[in-house]
Amino acid sequence: MKDVFLFSGFLGSGKTSMLTHVLKQFKEKGLKPAVIMNELGKLPFDSQALDEDIPLKEMLEGCICCSGAEKTEAQIQSLLADNEFDVLIIETTGAAHPVEALDAVYSPLFAESLNIKGIVTVADSKRWLERAALTPQVRSLFMEQIRHAHLLLANKMDLLTEAEQAKVVFEMQGVNPNAFILQTTNGKVPINLLENLQATAPSSNKEVQSAKIGKNLHLSSRLIELHQSYTQEEFEEWVRSLPSSVYRIKGYVAIEGIRNPFVFQYAYGLVQWIPEYINMPPKIVMIGENIQEIEVIGDK
């Protein structure tokens, strides 16, 4: 089981400084890290800061989420197959929504091989105080990155007065009361804070496996094995009964009368069925907020 950390934050917030600092600590501890680095441009500038002995996969042109999810899955599978490593760090582009990024890196193909510890968001504290000047779209994404963090770094604190520092922490805590907020300069975070990001989505159903993520389960992932087949109508009826806090479902569902399970995807109230030509094990990954108590189809 490989520990996985998702690094989030806007361009210029200090993600790469944090990444460099964290990699050094992991190596000093005798652990071998691997990195998937996502960038919006075509040239891998940030990756030049990494040591040559660290396995690295680059996702250029911002494709770690949305339409590039399949490419991300392929990169992770390649890392798992071809490299020996202890911990995986995925640095997202500053334009990535945390839910979409999490969706891209959590696949039923390798869910049992990865232990997603949580989302670490680096926030530029000065930009936070000046967020009213951002466009509505950028400000909304900035807030979402903070709201979904499991560990939040209020970075660039050295540029603020003590009163401004207190204001930043107080306001960020109001947006995300679940995250531990660390005041940092140059993205320096002790790795024990990352390693302590650990939680299990409990379930009363022993047949449901828990996906480990985050400290307080406000945003979590849950791996569910399906032990019977359904009609598409039955499965979609269950999906429609789910609360709006379920953002994504994806995986393989056995359909009555069909030889191989179908690929199933759900997002923003829309469902999609895709025929699969390989007999994949029927299991799905659910992503959302406070999903540990949701009753799974087939539960009694």
Side-chain angles (χ1 to χ4, degrees), residues 119-165:
I119 298 172
V120 182
T121 296
V122 188
D124 184 330
S125 298
K126 193 169 182 61
R127 177 179 281 148
W128 171 265
L129 293 175
E130 300 168 351
R131 64 190 181 281
L134 301 173
T135 65
Q137 295 87 349
V138 172
R139 185 167 63 248
S140 175
L141 179 57
F142 189 27
M143 300 286 281
E144 284 290 280
Q145 289 179 340
I146 290 171
R147 186 171 79 86
H148 287 297
H150 299 100
L151 174 62
L152 182 56
L153 271 61
N155 199 31
K156 303 187 180 181
M157 279 288 175
D158 56 317
L159 303 179
L160 307 182
T161 66
E162 287 189 13
E164 288 174 330
Q165 292 175 4

mmCIF file of all heavy atoms in Angstrom, residues 119-165:
data_model
loop_
_atom_site.group_PDB
_atom_site.id
_atom_site.type_symbol
_atom_site.label_atom_id
_atom_site.label_comp_id
_atom_site.label_asym_id
_atom_site.label_seq_id
_atom_site.Cartn_x
_atom_site.Cartn_y
_atom_site.Cartn_z
ATOM 1 N N ILE A 119 -5.463 15.917 0.972
ATOM 2 C CA ILE A 119 -5.142 17.059 0.117
ATOM 3 C C ILE A 119 -4.431 18.117 0.950
ATOM 4 O O ILE A 119 -4.951 18.556 1.986
ATOM 5 C CB ILE A 119 -6.408 17.658 -0.512
ATOM 6 C CG1 ILE A 119 -7.099 16.622 -1.406
ATOM 7 C CG2 ILE A 119 -6.085 18.917 -1.308
ATOM 8 C CD1 ILE A 119 -8.456 17.077 -1.915
ATOM 9 N N VAL A 120 -3.238 18.489 0.517
ATOM 10 C CA VAL A 120 -2.462 19.540 1.186
ATOM 11 C C VAL A 120 -2.509 20.778 0.294
ATOM 12 O O VAL A 120 -1.984 20.758 -0.819
ATOM 13 C CB VAL A 120 -1.000 19.106 1.424
ATOM 14 C CG1 VAL A 120 -0.248 20.198 2.173
ATOM 15 C CG2 VAL A 120 -0.954 17.786 2.183
ATOM 16 N N THR A 121 -3.158 21.826 0.758
ATOM 17 C CA THR A 121 -3.323 23.033 -0.046
ATOM 18 C C THR A 121 -2.420 24.139 0.483
ATOM 19 O O THR A 121 -2.404 24.422 1.678
ATOM 20 C CB THR A 121 -4.790 23.512 -0.024
ATOM 21 O OG1 THR A 121 -5.612 22.526 -0.643
ATOM 22 C CG2 THR A 121 -4.941 24.825 -0.781
ATOM 23 N N VAL A 122 -1.676 24.747 -0.434
ATOM 24 C CA VAL A 122 -0.847 25.901 -0.102
ATOM 25 C C VAL A 122 -1.590 27.150 -0.559
ATOM 26 O O VAL A 122 -1.927 27.281 -1.736
ATOM 27 C CB VAL A 122 0.529 25.830 -0.808
ATOM 28 C CG1 VAL A 122 1.441 26.930 -0.283
ATOM 29 C CG2 VAL A 122 1.171 24.478 -0.608
ATOM 30 N N ALA A 123 -1.862 28.042 0.369
ATOM 31 C CA ALA A 123 -2.575 29.276 0.050
ATOM 32 C C ALA A 123 -1.666 30.477 0.265
ATOM 33 O O ALA A 123 -1.012 30.596 1.310
ATOM 34 C CB ALA A 123 -3.829 29.404 0.915
ATOM 35 N N ASP A 124 -1.616 31.361 -0.716
ATOM 36 C CA ASP A 124 -0.861 32.605 -0.617
ATOM 37 C C ASP A 124 -1.636 33.547 0.308
ATOM 38 O O ASP A 124 -2.712 34.038 -0.047
ATOM 39 C CB ASP A 124 -0.712 33.208 -2.019
ATOM 40 C CG ASP A 124 0.138 34.468 -2.036
ATOM 41 O OD1 ASP A 124 0.139 35.200 -1.022
ATOM 42 O OD2 ASP A 124 0.787 34.733 -3.066
ATOM 43 N N SER A 125 -1.099 33.801 1.496
ATOM 44 C CA SER A 125 -1.823 34.592 2.493
ATOM 45 C C SER A 125 -2.060 36.025 2.030
ATOM 46 O O SER A 125 -3.112 36.617 2.315
ATOM 47 C CB SER A 125 -1.050 34.599 3.815
ATOM 48 O OG SER A 125 -0.933 33.289 4.324
ATOM 49 N N LYS A 126 -1.109 36.581 1.318
ATOM 50 C CA LYS A 126 -1.276 37.951 0.817
ATOM 51 C C LYS A 126 -2.373 37.998 -0.235
ATOM 52 O O LYS A 126 -3.195 38.915 -0.256
ATOM 53 C CB LYS A 126 0.050 38.460 0.249
ATOM 54 C CG LYS A 126 0.066 39.957 -0.010
ATOM 55 C CD LYS A 126 1.465 40.437 -0.318
ATOM 56 C CE LYS A 126 1.507 41.934 -0.525
ATOM 57 N NZ LYS A 126 1.086 42.687 0.670
ATOM 58 N N ARG A 127 -2.409 36.988 -1.090
ATOM 59 C CA ARG A 127 -3.471 36.924 -2.100
ATOM 60 C C ARG A 127 -4.831 36.745 -1.425
ATOM 61 O O ARG A 127 -5.841 37.269 -1.890
ATOM 62 C CB ARG A 127 -3.215 35.771 -3.077
ATOM 63 C CG ARG A 127 -4.332 35.602 -4.114
ATOM 64 C CD ARG A 127 -4.029 34.467 -5.067
ATOM 65 N NE ARG A 127 -3.080 34.869 -6.094
ATOM 66 C CZ ARG A 127 -2.190 34.059 -6.643
ATOM 67 N NH1 ARG A 127 -2.088 32.816 -6.239
ATOM 68 N NH2 ARG A 127 -1.382 34.484 -7.579
ATOM 69 N N TRP A 128 -4.857 35.992 -0.310
ATOM 70 C CA TRP A 128 -6.116 35.811 0.404
ATOM 71 C C TRP A 128 -6.677 37.163 0.867
ATOM 72 O O TRP A 128 -7.862 37.442 0.712
ATOM 73 C CB TRP A 128 -5.900 34.895 1.605
ATOM 74 C CG TRP A 128 -7.091 34.834 2.516
ATOM 75 C CD1 TRP A 128 -7.306 35.574 3.643
ATOM 76 C CD2 TRP A 128 -8.262 34.027 2.342
ATOM 77 N NE1 TRP A 128 -8.527 35.269 4.194
ATOM 78 C CE2 TRP A 128 -9.135 34.320 3.413
ATOM 79 C CE3 TRP A 128 -8.641 33.077 1.391
ATOM 80 C CZ2 TRP A 128 -10.372 33.704 3.557
ATOM 81 C CZ3 TRP A 128 -9.879 32.458 1.540
ATOM 82 C CH2 TRP A 128 -10.726 32.768 2.611
ATOM 83 N N LEU A 129 -5.813 38.013 1.419
ATOM 84 C CA LEU A 129 -6.269 39.314 1.891
ATOM 85 C C LEU A 129 -6.711 40.213 0.739
ATOM 86 O O LEU A 129 -7.523 41.122 0.936
ATOM 87 C CB LEU A 129 -5.153 40.002 2.680
ATOM 88 C CG LEU A 129 -4.766 39.344 4.010
ATOM 89 C CD1 LEU A 129 -3.577 40.048 4.636
ATOM 90 C CD2 LEU A 129 -5.959 39.339 4.974
ATOM 91 N N GLU A 130 -6.192 39.924 -0.458
ATOM 92 C CA GLU A 130 -6.527 40.743 -1.621
ATOM 93 C C GLU A 130 -7.465 40.017 -2.578
ATOM 94 O O GLU A 130 -7.574 40.376 -3.755
ATOM 95 C CB GLU A 130 -5.233 41.135 -2.357
ATOM 96 C CG GLU A 130 -4.266 41.936 -1.483
ATOM 97 C CD GLU A 130 -2.884 42.077 -2.102
ATOM 98 O OE1 GLU A 130 -2.621 41.415 -3.136
ATOM 99 O OE2 GLU A 130 -2.061 42.845 -1.558
ATOM 100 N N ARG A 131 -8.174 38.993 -2.088
ATOM 101 C CA ARG A 131 -8.985 38.129 -2.957
ATOM 102 C C ARG A 131 -10.150 38.870 -3.612
ATOM 103 O O ARG A 131 -10.654 38.434 -4.657
ATOM 104 C CB ARG A 131 -9.507 36.918 -2.182
ATOM 105 C CG ARG A 131 -10.452 37.234 -1.039
ATOM 106 C CD ARG A 131 -10.703 35.992 -0.202
ATOM 107 N NE ARG A 131 -11.632 36.219 0.907
ATOM 108 C CZ ARG A 131 -11.311 36.791 2.057
ATOM 109 N NH1 ARG A 131 -10.070 37.212 2.253
ATOM 110 N NH2 ARG A 131 -12.213 36.941 3.014
ATOM 111 N N ALA A 132 -10.574 39.988 -3.028
ATOM 112 C CA ALA A 132 -11.681 40.743 -3.623
ATOM 113 C C ALA A 132 -11.314 41.272 -5.005
ATOM 114 O O ALA A 132 -12.201 41.544 -5.827
ATOM 115 C CB ALA A 132 -12.082 41.895 -2.700
ATOM 116 N N ALA A 133 -10.024 41.379 -5.272
ATOM 117 C CA ALA A 133 -9.580 41.900 -6.567
ATOM 118 C C ALA A 133 -9.546 40.819 -7.647
ATOM 119 O O ALA A 133 -9.376 41.127 -8.831
ATOM 120 C CB ALA A 133 -8.190 42.531 -6.422
ATOM 121 N N LEU A 134 -9.700 39.556 -7.257
ATOM 122 C CA LEU A 134 -9.686 38.464 -8.223
ATOM 123 C C LEU A 134 -11.004 38.423 -8.992
ATOM 124 O O LEU A 134 -12.035 38.898 -8.508
ATOM 125 C CB LEU A 134 -9.470 37.122 -7.507
ATOM 126 C CG LEU A 134 -8.191 36.964 -6.682
ATOM 127 C CD1 LEU A 134 -8.220 35.649 -5.900
ATOM 128 C CD2 LEU A 134 -6.967 37.026 -7.585
ATOM 129 N N THR A 135 -10.980 37.835 -10.173
ATOM 130 C CA THR A 135 -12.227 37.647 -10.914
ATOM 131 C C THR A 135 -13.107 36.665 -10.143
ATOM 132 O O THR A 135 -12.597 35.843 -9.366
ATOM 133 C CB THR A 135 -11.962 37.079 -12.322
ATOM 134 O OG1 THR A 135 -11.410 35.764 -12.202
ATOM 135 C CG2 THR A 135 -10.994 37.972 -13.099
ATOM 136 N N PRO A 136 -14.414 36.704 -10.318
ATOM 137 C CA PRO A 136 -15.301 35.795 -9.577
ATOM 138 C C PRO A 136 -14.950 34.324 -9.762
ATOM 139 O O PRO A 136 -14.997 33.546 -8.806
ATOM 140 C CB PRO A 136 -16.682 36.116 -10.149
ATOM 141 C CG PRO A 136 -16.588 37.538 -10.607
ATOM 142 C CD PRO A 136 -15.179 37.682 -11.114
ATOM 143 N N GLN A 137 -14.557 33.940 -10.988
ATOM 144 C CA GLN A 137 -14.237 32.536 -11.246
ATOM 145 C C GLN A 137 -12.972 32.108 -10.499
ATOM 146 O O GLN A 137 -12.929 31.040 -9.888
ATOM 147 C CB GLN A 137 -14.057 32.296 -12.759
ATOM 148 C CG GLN A 137 -15.317 32.493 -13.574
ATOM 149 C CD GLN A 137 -15.511 33.938 -14.000
ATOM 150 O OE1 GLN A 137 -14.821 34.848 -13.520
ATOM 151 N NE2 GLN A 137 -16.459 34.158 -14.906
ATOM 152 N N VAL A 138 -11.958 32.954 -10.547
ATOM 153 C CA VAL A 138 -10.700 32.636 -9.877
ATOM 154 C C VAL A 138 -10.896 32.641 -8.368
ATOM 155 O O VAL A 138 -10.395 31.765 -7.656
ATOM 156 C CB VAL A 138 -9.592 33.637 -10.285
ATOM 157 C CG1 VAL A 138 -8.343 33.435 -9.433
ATOM 158 C CG2 VAL A 138 -9.260 33.478 -11.770
ATOM 159 N N ARG A 139 -11.640 33.605 -7.860
ATOM 160 C CA ARG A 139 -11.889 33.677 -6.424
ATOM 161 C C ARG A 139 -12.659 32.444 -5.940
ATOM 162 O O ARG A 139 -12.372 31.894 -4.878
ATOM 163 C CB ARG A 139 -12.658 34.953 -6.086
ATOM 164 C CG ARG A 139 -12.856 35.149 -4.579
ATOM 165 C CD ARG A 139 -13.332 36.549 -4.246
ATOM 166 N NE ARG A 139 -14.635 36.855 -4.815
ATOM 167 C CZ ARG A 139 -14.852 37.732 -5.783
ATOM 168 N NH1 ARG A 139 -13.830 38.393 -6.309
ATOM 169 N NH2 ARG A 139 -16.061 37.956 -6.246
ATOM 170 N N SER A 140 -13.619 31.999 -6.732
ATOM 171 C CA SER A 140 -14.393 30.813 -6.370
ATOM 172 C C SER A 140 -13.499 29.579 -6.294
ATOM 173 O O SER A 140 -13.604 28.785 -5.342
ATOM 174 C CB SER A 140 -15.509 30.588 -7.394
ATOM 175 O OG SER A 140 -16.206 29.389 -7.125
ATOM 176 N N LEU A 141 -12.600 29.394 -7.270
ATOM 177 C CA LEU A 141 -11.697 28.246 -7.260
ATOM 178 C C LEU A 141 -10.731 28.342 -6.082
ATOM 179 O O LEU A 141 -10.440 27.332 -5.406
ATOM 180 C CB LEU A 141 -10.918 28.179 -8.580
ATOM 181 C CG LEU A 141 -9.899 27.041 -8.709
ATOM 182 C CD1 LEU A 141 -10.565 25.682 -8.511
ATOM 183 C CD2 LEU A 141 -9.186 27.100 -10.062
ATOM 184 N N PHE A 142 -10.239 29.534 -5.805
ATOM 185 C CA PHE A 142 -9.351 29.773 -4.661
ATOM 186 C C PHE A 142 -10.032 29.321 -3.367
ATOM 187 O O PHE A 142 -9.439 28.613 -2.539
ATOM 188 C CB PHE A 142 -9.023 31.268 -4.617
ATOM 189 C CG PHE A 142 -7.950 31.648 -3.631
ATOM 190 C CD1 PHE A 142 -6.951 30.761 -3.251
ATOM 191 C CD2 PHE A 142 -7.919 32.929 -3.086
ATOM 192 C CE1 PHE A 142 -5.950 31.126 -2.352
ATOM 193 C CE2 PHE A 142 -6.936 33.308 -2.192
ATOM 194 C CZ PHE A 142 -5.951 32.405 -1.823
ATOM 195 N N MET A 143 -11.295 29.697 -3.201
ATOM 196 C CA MET A 143 -12.045 29.327 -2.007
ATOM 197 C C MET A 143 -12.278 27.822 -1.941
ATOM 198 O O MET A 143 -12.208 27.214 -0.862
ATOM 199 C CB MET A 143 -13.383 30.063 -1.981
ATOM 200 C CG MET A 143 -13.268 31.578 -1.962
ATOM 201 S SD MET A 143 -12.728 32.225 -0.368
ATOM 202 C CE MET A 143 -14.254 32.141 0.546
ATOM 203 N N GLU A 144 -12.558 27.199 -3.087
ATOM 204 C CA GLU A 144 -12.810 25.758 -3.112
ATOM 205 C C GLU A 144 -11.549 24.969 -2.755
ATOM 206 O O GLU A 144 -11.614 23.950 -2.053
ATOM 207 C CB GLU A 144 -13.312 25.335 -4.498
ATOM 208 C CG GLU A 144 -14.757 25.701 -4.774
ATOM 209 C CD GLU A 144 -15.716 24.877 -3.935
ATOM 210 O OE1 GLU A 144 -15.992 23.731 -4.299
ATOM 211 O OE2 GLU A 144 -16.185 25.388 -2.890
ATOM 212 N N GLN A 145 -10.396 25.429 -3.245
ATOM 213 C CA GLN A 145 -9.144 24.750 -2.902
ATOM 214 C C GLN A 145 -8.902 24.790 -1.400
ATOM 215 O O GLN A 145 -8.422 23.825 -0.812
ATOM 216 C CB GLN A 145 -7.978 25.393 -3.658
ATOM 217 C CG GLN A 145 -7.976 25.113 -5.145
ATOM 218 C CD GLN A 145 -6.822 25.797 -5.863
ATOM 219 O OE1 GLN A 145 -6.236 26.746 -5.358
ATOM 220 N NE2 GLN A 145 -6.502 25.320 -7.047
ATOM 221 N N ILE A 146 -9.263 25.891 -0.776
ATOM 222 C CA ILE A 146 -9.096 26.019 0.674
ATOM 223 C C ILE A 146 -10.146 25.187 1.415
ATOM 224 O O ILE A 146 -9.849 24.498 2.394
ATOM 225 C CB ILE A 146 -9.161 27.505 1.082
ATOM 226 C CG1 ILE A 146 -7.909 28.231 0.580
ATOM 227 C CG2 ILE A 146 -9.317 27.663 2.593
ATOM 228 C CD1 ILE A 146 -7.941 29.730 0.731
ATOM 229 N N ARG A 147 -11.373 25.217 0.933
ATOM 230 C CA ARG A 147 -12.476 24.532 1.619
ATOM 231 C C ARG A 147 -12.286 23.027 1.675
ATOM 232 O O ARG A 147 -12.693 22.366 2.625
ATOM 233 C CB ARG A 147 -13.805 24.861 0.927
ATOM 234 C CG ARG A 147 -15.034 24.314 1.657
ATOM 235 C CD ARG A 147 -16.308 24.853 1.053
ATOM 236 N NE ARG A 147 -16.698 24.183 -0.163
ATOM 237 C CZ ARG A 147 -17.429 23.063 -0.191
ATOM 238 N NH1 ARG A 147 -17.826 22.499 0.933
ATOM 239 N NH2 ARG A 147 -17.756 22.503 -1.344
ATOM 240 N N HIS A 148 -11.656 22.448 0.650
ATOM 241 C CA HIS A 148 -11.534 20.995 0.567
ATOM 242 C C HIS A 148 -10.197 20.460 1.092
ATOM 243 O O HIS A 148 -9.945 19.260 1.014
ATOM 244 C CB HIS A 148 -11.722 20.525 -0.879
ATOM 245 C CG HIS A 148 -13.141 20.614 -1.353
ATOM 246 N ND1 HIS A 148 -14.157 19.885 -0.790
ATOM 247 C CD2 HIS A 148 -13.702 21.344 -2.341
ATOM 248 C CE1 HIS A 148 -15.293 20.150 -1.410
ATOM 249 N NE2 HIS A 148 -15.041 21.038 -2.355
ATOM 250 N N ALA A 149 -9.349 21.327 1.617
ATOM 251 C CA ALA A 149 -8.041 20.876 2.104
ATOM 252 C C ALA A 149 -8.189 20.071 3.393
ATOM 253 O O ALA A 149 -9.066 20.320 4.209
ATOM 254 C CB ALA A 149 -7.134 22.074 2.339
ATOM 255 N N HIS A 150 -7.299 19.098 3.555
ATOM 256 C CA HIS A 150 -7.204 18.373 4.819
ATOM 257 C C HIS A 150 -6.077 18.958 5.684
ATOM 258 O O HIS A 150 -6.129 18.897 6.899
ATOM 259 C CB HIS A 150 -6.940 16.890 4.560
ATOM 260 C CG HIS A 150 -8.036 16.248 3.774
ATOM 261 N ND1 HIS A 150 -7.935 16.028 2.425
ATOM 262 C CD2 HIS A 150 -9.259 15.795 4.145
ATOM 263 C CE1 HIS A 150 -9.054 15.454 1.996
ATOM 264 N NE2 HIS A 150 -9.869 15.309 3.015
ATOM 265 N N LEU A 151 -5.063 19.500 5.030
ATOM 266 C CA LEU A 151 -4.003 20.260 5.695
ATOM 267 C C LEU A 151 -3.823 21.533 4.888
ATOM 268 O O LEU A 151 -3.652 21.488 3.672
ATOM 269 C CB LEU A 151 -2.696 19.461 5.746
ATOM 270 C CG LEU A 151 -1.465 20.195 6.278
ATOM 271 C CD1 LEU A 151 -1.670 20.633 7.726
ATOM 272 C CD2 LEU A 151 -0.215 19.311 6.168
ATOM 273 N N LEU A 152 -3.884 22.678 5.562
ATOM 274 C CA LEU A 152 -3.853 23.961 4.869
ATOM 275 C C LEU A 152 -2.643 24.770 5.315
ATOM 276 O O LEU A 152 -2.460 25.028 6.506
ATOM 277 C CB LEU A 152 -5.142 24.732 5.171
ATOM 278 C CG LEU A 152 -5.348 26.092 4.510
ATOM 279 C CD1 LEU A 152 -5.255 25.985 2.994
ATOM 280 C CD2 LEU A 152 -6.714 26.647 4.920
ATOM 281 N N LEU A 153 -1.799 25.136 4.354
ATOM 282 C CA LEU A 153 -0.638 25.963 4.635
ATOM 283 C C LEU A 153 -0.967 27.414 4.291
ATOM 284 O O LEU A 153 -1.207 27.742 3.121
ATOM 285 C CB LEU A 153 0.569 25.508 3.815
ATOM 286 C CG LEU A 153 1.476 24.432 4.419
ATOM 287 C CD1 LEU A 153 0.695 23.156 4.668
ATOM 288 C CD2 LEU A 153 2.656 24.157 3.492
ATOM 289 N N ALA A 154 -1.027 28.258 5.306
ATOM 290 C CA ALA A 154 -1.172 29.692 5.083
ATOM 291 C C ALA A 154 0.245 30.219 4.852
ATOM 292 O O ALA A 154 0.976 30.533 5.791
ATOM 293 C CB ALA A 154 -1.832 30.360 6.290
ATOM 294 N N ASN A 155 0.625 30.290 3.593
ATOM 295 C CA ASN A 155 2.021 30.552 3.229
ATOM 296 C C ASN A 155 2.292 32.046 3.063
ATOM 297 O O ASN A 155 1.385 32.862 2.991
ATOM 298 C CB ASN A 155 2.346 29.804 1.936
ATOM 299 C CG ASN A 155 3.832 29.619 1.725
ATOM 300 O OD1 ASN A 155 4.597 29.503 2.692
ATOM 301 N ND2 ASN A 155 4.269 29.585 0.477
ATOM 302 N N LYS A 156 3.588 32.376 3.005
ATOM 303 C CA LYS A 156 4.083 33.748 2.836
ATOM 304 C C LYS A 156 3.705 34.640 4.021
ATOM 305 O O LYS A 156 3.435 35.838 3.859
ATOM 306 C CB LYS A 156 3.586 34.347 1.512
ATOM 307 C CG LYS A 156 3.983 33.513 0.297
ATOM 308 C CD LYS A 156 3.650 34.186 -1.002
ATOM 309 C CE LYS A 156 4.056 33.322 -2.187
ATOM 310 N NZ LYS A 156 3.758 33.967 -3.492
ATOM 311 N N MET A 157 3.682 34.041 5.200
ATOM 312 C CA MET A 157 3.336 34.787 6.407
ATOM 313 C C MET A 157 4.356 35.888 6.722
ATOM 314 O O MET A 157 4.046 36.849 7.421
ATOM 315 C CB MET A 157 3.220 33.827 7.595
ATOM 316 C CG MET A 157 1.892 33.110 7.660
ATOM 317 S SD MET A 157 0.587 34.263 8.147
ATOM 318 C CE MET A 157 -0.866 33.230 8.006
ATOM 319 N N ASP A 158 5.572 35.741 6.203
ATOM 320 C CA ASP A 158 6.609 36.739 6.460
ATOM 321 C C ASP A 158 6.302 38.078 5.798
ATOM 322 O O ASP A 158 6.925 39.093 6.125
ATOM 323 C CB ASP A 158 7.968 36.216 5.980
ATOM 324 C CG ASP A 158 7.948 35.810 4.507
ATOM 325 O OD1 ASP A 158 6.957 35.170 4.078
ATOM 326 O OD2 ASP A 158 8.909 36.112 3.788
ATOM 327 N N LEU A 159 5.348 38.097 4.884
ATOM 328 C CA LEU A 159 4.999 39.335 4.179
ATOM 329 C C LEU A 159 3.889 40.111 4.881
ATOM 330 O O LEU A 159 3.503 41.188 4.423
ATOM 331 C CB LEU A 159 4.555 39.010 2.742
ATOM 332 C CG LEU A 159 5.558 38.240 1.878
ATOM 333 C CD1 LEU A 159 4.972 37.979 0.497
ATOM 334 C CD2 LEU A 159 6.872 38.995 1.770
ATOM 335 N N LEU A 160 3.366 39.555 5.999
ATOM 336 C CA LEU A 160 2.218 40.159 6.663
ATOM 337 C C LEU A 160 2.576 40.655 8.060
ATOM 338 O O LEU A 160 3.517 40.175 8.690
ATOM 339 C CB LEU A 160 1.072 39.144 6.772
ATOM 340 C CG LEU A 160 0.621 38.436 5.493
ATOM 341 C CD1 LEU A 160 -0.546 37.506 5.802
ATOM 342 C CD2 LEU A 160 0.237 39.449 4.421
ATOM 343 N N THR A 161 1.782 41.602 8.543
ATOM 344 C CA THR A 161 1.906 42.034 9.932
ATOM 345 C C THR A 161 1.262 40.990 10.834
ATOM 346 O O THR A 161 0.549 40.094 10.360
ATOM 347 C CB THR A 161 1.201 43.384 10.146
ATOM 348 O OG1 THR A 161 -0.211 43.204 9.949
ATOM 349 C CG2 THR A 161 1.713 44.435 9.168
ATOM 350 N N GLU A 162 1.486 41.078 12.124
ATOM 351 C CA GLU A 162 0.884 40.126 13.056
ATOM 352 C C GLU A 162 -0.641 40.188 12.996
ATOM 353 O O GLU A 162 -1.318 39.157 13.068
ATOM 354 C CB GLU A 162 1.374 40.396 14.484
ATOM 355 C CG GLU A 162 2.821 39.986 14.732
ATOM 356 C CD GLU A 162 3.194 40.065 16.199
ATOM 357 O OE1 GLU A 162 2.272 40.194 17.042
ATOM 358 O OE2 GLU A 162 4.394 39.987 16.509
ATOM 359 N N ALA A 163 -1.179 41.371 12.871
ATOM 360 C CA ALA A 163 -2.642 41.521 12.781
ATOM 361 C C ALA A 163 -3.167 40.867 11.510
ATOM 362 O O ALA A 163 -4.218 40.198 11.528
ATOM 363 C CB ALA A 163 -3.020 42.999 12.822
ATOM 364 N N GLU A 164 -2.443 41.041 10.405
ATOM 365 C CA GLU A 164 -2.864 40.416 9.144
ATOM 366 C C GLU A 164 -2.754 38.905 9.224
ATOM 367 O O GLU A 164 -3.608 38.177 8.699
ATOM 368 C CB GLU A 164 -2.006 40.958 7.989
ATOM 369 C CG GLU A 164 -2.320 42.398 7.615
ATOM 370 C CD GLU A 164 -1.356 42.940 6.585
ATOM 371 O OE1 GLU A 164 -0.175 42.503 6.554
ATOM 372 O OE2 GLU A 164 -1.769 43.810 5.802
ATOM 373 N N GLN A 165 -1.715 38.407 9.887
ATOM 374 C CA GLN A 165 -1.563 36.965 10.050
ATOM 375 C C GLN A 165 -2.741 36.369 10.810
ATOM 376 O O GLN A 165 -3.301 35.337 10.417
ATOM 377 C CB GLN A 165 -0.253 36.658 10.791
ATOM 378 C CG GLN A 165 1.010 36.981 10.004
ATOM 379 C CD GLN A 165 2.271 36.782 10.829
ATOM 380 O OE1 GLN A 165 2.220 36.337 11.974
ATOM 381 N NE2 GLN A 165 3.413 37.143 10.253
#
